[in-house]
Amino acid sequence: KAGVTQTPRYLIKTRGQQVTLSCSPISGHRSVSWYQQTPGQGLQFLFEYFSETQRNKGNFPGRFSGRQFSNSRSEMNVSTLELGDSALYLCASSLPGTSGNYNEQFFGPGTRLTVL
Amino acid sequence: DAKTTQPNSMESNEEEPVHLPCNHSTISGTDYIHWYRQLPSQGPEYVIHGLTSNVNNRMASLAIAEDRKSSTLILHRATLRDAAVYYCILRDPRYGGSQGNLIFGKGTKLSVKP
């Protein structure tokens, strides 16, 4: 079974630009989450999507947004890039959980974004 | 989510057992204890999880204290490939519909010497 794929793997942008990152979950997984990883803040949750609906959001400014398509693929967008947005952006997918049950998250390799 | 405390780093020799501790003194009765690890230049990967009883899988064992205020991830024979950052995370499965927001701490960086 193919793993979570993220494109592109590396990206260089300049301040003020916007960027769109893509994530393809494991086949059959309908929940997709996004995380930002930086040396200073570590791994931080951005948002989670399930069935094309955002159902959880972390503490990030509105410049960070995302969406999920009917095939469960997800994109995240960052507008008006700042230097501090340089990070590894990780996507994770999982089977939808039910109350009382937990399904492990499978992470992709990440997209390394550098903002100059 | 309740907070966990882990040592910043640990060292081990190859083929020896490794015990990675995690303190979670404010754990609630419904919190599960999860461990993920992140190998260099990769995304995190699931290792193991448990509630009260000790758990074993092909990767590791999880020993949970009787009062559940601490737990230990056990790698029975460390290999060079086990060098990674190990994260101990608490999750409440009552919110099974919203499982995506894992709260990662700083984790423990494990170094394995040949």
Side-chain angles (χ1 to χ4, degrees):
Chain A
K1 187 188 267 190
V4 177
T5 56
Q6 294 187 244
T7 56
R9 292 292 311 279
Y10 302 91
L11 203 51
I12 299 175
K13 292 285 188 179
T14 56
R15 278 181 301 176
Q17 287 187 308
Q18 75 162 12
V19 67
T20 299
L21 311 181
S22 180
C23 171
S24 292
I26 291 172
S27 177
H29 287 192
R30 292 166 58 197
S31 175
V32 174
S33 299
W34 289 89
Y35 296 81
Q36 180 196 65
Q37 185 171 30
T38 59
Q41 299 298 318
L43 272 157
Q44 293 185 286
F45 170 73
L46 278 158
F47 26 66
E48 179 193 12
Y49 286 87
F50 174 69
S51 291
E52 302 177 63
T53 301
Q54 185 183 90
R55 61 181 183 184
N56 247 313
K57 190 176 192 304
N59 189 25
F60 279 82
R63 299 185 297 106
F64 292 81
S65 63
R67 58 178 176 168
Q68 186 180 33
F69 302 95
S70 58
N71 61 359
S72 295
R73 191 177 70 85
S74 177
E75 290 181 346
M76 67 162 283
N77 184 78
V78 188
S79 62
T80 320
L81 283 166
E82 300 177 0
L83 295 179
D85 297 333
S86 294
L88 180 67
Y89 290 88
L90 291 156
C91 165
S93 75
S94 65
L95 291 167
T98 57
S99 180
N101 189 26
Y102 177 86
N103 290 308
E104 65 182 275
Q105 292 200 23
F106 294 83
F107 284 80
T111 293
R112 173 74 63 186
L113 172 65
T114 301
V115 182
L116 302 176
Chain B
D1 292 314
K3 185 176 170 59
T4 62
T5 304
Q6 299 177 254
N8 290 333
S9 62
M10 290 184 66
E11 272 192 358
S12 172
N13 293 316
E14 197 176 11
E15 298 191 5
E16 289 186 356
V18 182
H19 291 232
L20 297 163
C22 180
N23 287 320
H24 28 78
S25 58
T26 58
I27 191 171
S28 75
T30 51
D31 281 332
Y32 276 72
I33 302 157
H34 300 267
W35 285 81
Y36 279 74
R37 72 179 184 181
Q38 187 172 20
L39 279 65
S41 302
Q42 294 188 27
E45 64 176 355
Y46 167 83
V47 177
I48 200 167
H49 78 278
L51 181 63
T52 55
S53 304
N54 294 345
V55 184
N56 301 295
N57 66 19
R58 63 174 180 80
M59 288 180 70
S61 296
L62 176 60
I64 302 171
E66 197 169 331
D67 64 5
R68 299 207 332 122
K69 293 186 177 182
S70 65
S71 60
T72 302
L73 179 71
I74 302 166
L75 307 179
H76 295 286
R77 287 179 73 241
T79 68
L80 297 179
R81 194 192 175 277
D82 291 322
V85 178
Y86 288 78
Y87 298 97
C88 171
I89 302 166
L90 302 183
R91 291 295 293 151
D92 188 337
R94 289 178 299 173
Y95 307 103
S98 297
Q99 296 180 353
N101 51 332
L102 293 173
I103 309 298
F104 288 85
K106 298 296 184 185
T108 296
K109 183 174 183 178
L110 176 66
S111 302
V112 180
K113 296 183 290 184

